[in-house]
Amino acid sequence: MIIDAETYFATARRAMMSAKSDIFMLGWDFDTRVTLDCKADDGAPEQLGPFISWLAQNRPDLRIHILRWDIGALKAFVRGTTLFRLVRWLGSGRVRFRLDGAHPPTGSHHEKILVIDDQLAFCGGIDMTLGRWDTRRHDNKAPQRHPPGGGAPFKPWHDATMALEGDAAAALGDLARDRWLAATGKRLEPVGEVRRDIWPAGLEASFEDVEVAFARTRGANGDHEEVREVEALHLEMIGACRRFGYFESQYFASPAIAKAMADRLAEPDGPEFVVVHPRSAEGWIQSEAMDSARARLLARLQEGPGGERLRLYCPCTDDGEEIYVHAKIAVIDDAMLRVGSANMNNRSLGLDSECDVVIDARAAGQEHQRQTMAEIRLDLLGEHLDVAPQVVAQTQARCGSLIRAIEELRGQGRTLRPYTPEEVGPLEALAGEAEPLDPDGPLAANEPLTSPSLWRKLIGDRLDKA
């Protein structure tokens, strides 16, 4: 488990330096100007674009494939040196860069995957683009928080990914080749090399010798059928929860997830749910739609049976600045762990391409894995609350409640603040009711963009009457 991009960018760069045959990069966005590791002293460039070019020039047997969402790339082409770099790659033939348009209308390629020689892979929520780099302290004074050429620092950014090796990495290699085939029509052969150890030096493994599953989302597109494994995973995890569910997500706007939580909250001895997310969605249009949908979901849930056992929190820095939560994490009873690219919104459950990593340690004999999951959750909460993880553990044990522990530990400065929805105006209400920005699947050819909300279809009368 890797928290925040300072560690991920540097670790990914070290891993790519060890590549012999194949590098696969799949992402929602890439920016060739992003600095991967300003402390590297291996003679290779620090920035992503020059680094990829250096690898292509110095490793003649290395094949590099980069797949990026097509529509989102239009803006990227005019950023800094990106267009110049792409032209050089296309001309060299050593770096194959393609745009992924193999998604339904209004859909996007949202996975963030890096695979090296089918031996090592990264899968999570971190894009290799500007504005993502940050440390776990989220300090404005860090020079990498500033854009190229100077200017105001990017906002504090919280994110996560998973590093995997062995069969799990090979499986992600297969997924990457499948995605390349869908996007380009060209089939690539697997690496086929003898396994070797290329785990990055300095990266401590969280788990060893464990089974790993992947959950995907694929919107129906042409001959490709819909895949809703991420949705099924969310619903199964919420249904299996006995004590608490801890979530980090960029959005909280899925009626299907809200209904699953409502069912559990209505149980007299049901679990607690804590969601850590940003105060406002990034971008004006996204904020109008996602924030209003979240406000309506939260109001119905908290006013319903057991609503006091659901809390939404927003992290902030030492000086009170909002930390943007881009991580997609779920920990259920310290026995199930999910890290990936999918948010808790409609698009991630039925439209965009997504991939999540799952470890299930509920079976007997998995005590060590469950302890590791507890350490991961406590470490995350310790970061957000600015206290040691063991303090979180001790407080939760004494209080007998995750929510009460958070409430007791919240303070001034760096902390978690309860999310309080602002009053929804007419424009926000319209954006939250219409679904062009957050559909749960491809829109039909004759379906208007202002189609009725899926609220009543998925939530039904339970929450409307609460």
Side-chain angles (χ1 to χ4, degrees):
M1 180 102 168
I2 297 175
I3 307 299
D4 292 326
E6 177 193 34
T7 302
Y8 171 56
F9 284 176
T11 302
R13 184 185 179 281
R14 290 199 303 274
M16 287 189 281
M17 283 290 288
S18 67
K20 286 188 174 181
S21 58
D22 279 87
I23 292 177
F24 248 113
M25 302 175 69
L26 282 70
W28 181 81
D29 189 18
F30 295 101
D31 194 307
T32 58
R33 299 169 296 170
V34 69
T35 297
L36 298 178
D37 186 1
C38 62
K39 300 177 182 178
D41 59 356
D42 49 23
E46 300 173 357
Q47 292 184 322
L48 175 62
F51 176 68
I52 294 296
S53 297
W54 185 91
L55 286 175
Q57 294 167 3
N58 289 272
R59 309 286 172 81
D61 296 330
L62 182 62
R63 301 178 298 177
I64 302 174
H65 296 85
I66 303 174
L67 194 62
R68 188 203 189 282
W69 179 36
D70 61 342
I71 296 177
L74 298 177
K75 182 174 65 174
F77 288 159
V78 297
R79 292 187 308 210
T81 59
T82 298
L83 182 59
F84 167 74
R85 185 69 56 184
L86 294 181
V87 170
R88 288 191 60 183
W89 287 347
L90 293 173
S92 71
R94 296 178 180 178
V95 180
R96 294 177 174 87
F97 177 88
R98 297 292 185 273
L99 298 178
D100 187 350
H103 48 73
T106 74
S108 71
H109 173 79
H110 197 242
E111 295 161 316
K112 302 93 166 56
I113 295 173
L114 171 63
V115 186
I116 299 158
D117 293 347
D118 277 9
Q119 315 293 305
L120 177 69
F122 301 85
C123 179
I126 308 179
D127 295 289
M128 283 191 175
T129 190
L130 294 178
R132 302 308 197 257
W133 188 97
D134 208 349
T135 69
R136 299 194 68 178
R137 292 300 309 174
H138 306 290
D139 185 0
N140 279 338
K141 297 179 181 179
Q144 292 87 341
R145 284 272 307 279
H146 292 257
F154 294 114
K155 66 178 67 175
W157 197 275
H158 174 70
D159 224 327
T161 191
M162 287 283 275
L164 310 101
E165 69 172 1
D167 293 338
L172 283 174
D174 291 338
L175 184 150
R177 283 182 287 273
D178 288 344
R179 193 69 204 170
W180 187 268
L181 175 63
T184 69
K186 296 182 180 179
R187 187 179 303 276
L188 301 174
E189 296 300 320
V191 175
E193 280 191 7
V194 177
R195 292 286 171 89
R196 58 193 179 91
D197 183 10
I198 59 171
W199 187 263
L203 181 64
E204 183 178 354
S206 302
F207 303 91
E208 295 186 22
D209 300 323
V210 294
E211 290 186 347
V212 173
F214 299 104
R216 303 165 300 156
T217 297
R218 297 286 187 273
N221 185 43
D223 295 334
H224 297 278
E225 296 182 354
E226 181 181 63
V227 177
R228 301 184 75 104
E229 295 166 353
V230 169
E231 180 181 55
L233 173 66
H234 274 90
L235 300 184
E236 179 178 340
M237 294 180 81
I238 293 170
C241 187
R242 294 296 173 261
R243 296 180 293 130
F244 60 82
Y246 174 79
F247 303 89
E248 295 188 358
S249 179
Q250 183 180 7
Y251 304 124
F252 181 70
S254 164
I257 291 175
K259 181 184 184 303
M261 287 185 173
D263 290 341
R264 302 307 314 282
L265 292 171
E267 299 175 8
D269 297 319
E272 299 177 296
F273 296 115
V274 169
V275 181
V276 174
H277 63 115
R279 174 70 190 174
S280 298
E282 191 178 31
W284 178 80
I285 297 178
Q286 289 89 339
S287 178
E288 295 289 339
M290 295 294 100
D291 292 358
S292 58
R294 174 181 55 184
R296 293 187 304 129
L297 281 174
L298 179 62
R300 285 168 169 81
L301 286 168
Q302 291 191 330
E303 292 169 5
E308 71 280 357
R309 300 200 310 273
L310 169 68
R311 296 293 174 88
L312 272 62
Y313 293 101
C314 309
C316 60
T317 65
D318 293 331
D319 56 6
E321 184 179 2
E322 172 196 344
I323 297 174
Y324 195 81
V325 177
H326 193 258
K328 302 90 167 63
I329 300 171
V331 184
I332 302 297
D333 294 335
D334 294 337
M336 299 179 74
L337 172 67
R338 177 192 68 85
V339 180
S341 65
N343 289 301
M344 299 169 73
N345 65 337
N346 292 329
R347 301 185 63 92
S348 286
L349 303 189
L351 180 63
D352 296 341
S353 64
E354 307 281 9
C355 186
D356 290 354
V357 183
V358 191
I359 300 176
D360 185 350
R362 290 175 292 173
Q366 303 292 312
E367 291 80 10
H368 181 67
Q369 283 76 27
R370 292 196 291 271
Q371 177 61 35
T372 300
M373 292 181 189
E375 292 170 356
I376 288 172
R377 176 184 60 84
L378 295 169
D379 184 51
L380 288 165
L381 281 167
E383 174 183 339
H384 295 317
L385 293 164
D386 200 21
V387 299
Q390 57 267 31
V391 173
V392 182
Q394 294 165 1
T395 306
Q396 183 178 349
R398 175 169 48 79
C399 294
S401 161
L402 177 59
I403 290 175
R404 287 200 295 271
I406 293 173
E407 287 298 310
E408 183 173 317
L409 293 172
R410 290 196 307 107
Q412 300 298 316
R414 185 170 178 180
T415 191
L416 287 172
R417 293 177 177 172
Y419 168 70
T420 304
E422 297 179 1
E423 184 176 353
V424 178
L427 181 60
E428 293 91 340
L430 175 63
E433 189 68 24
E435 295 184 342
L437 292 176
D438 192 28
D440 77 330
L443 296 176
N446 60 349
E447 185 175 3
L449 288 180
T450 55
S451 60
S453 171
L454 292 177
W455 180 264
R456 297 191 181 279
K457 181 173 72 174
L458 292 175
I459 296 294
D461 293 335
R462 173 187 294 275
L463 294 182
D464 287 340
K465 294 178 179 178

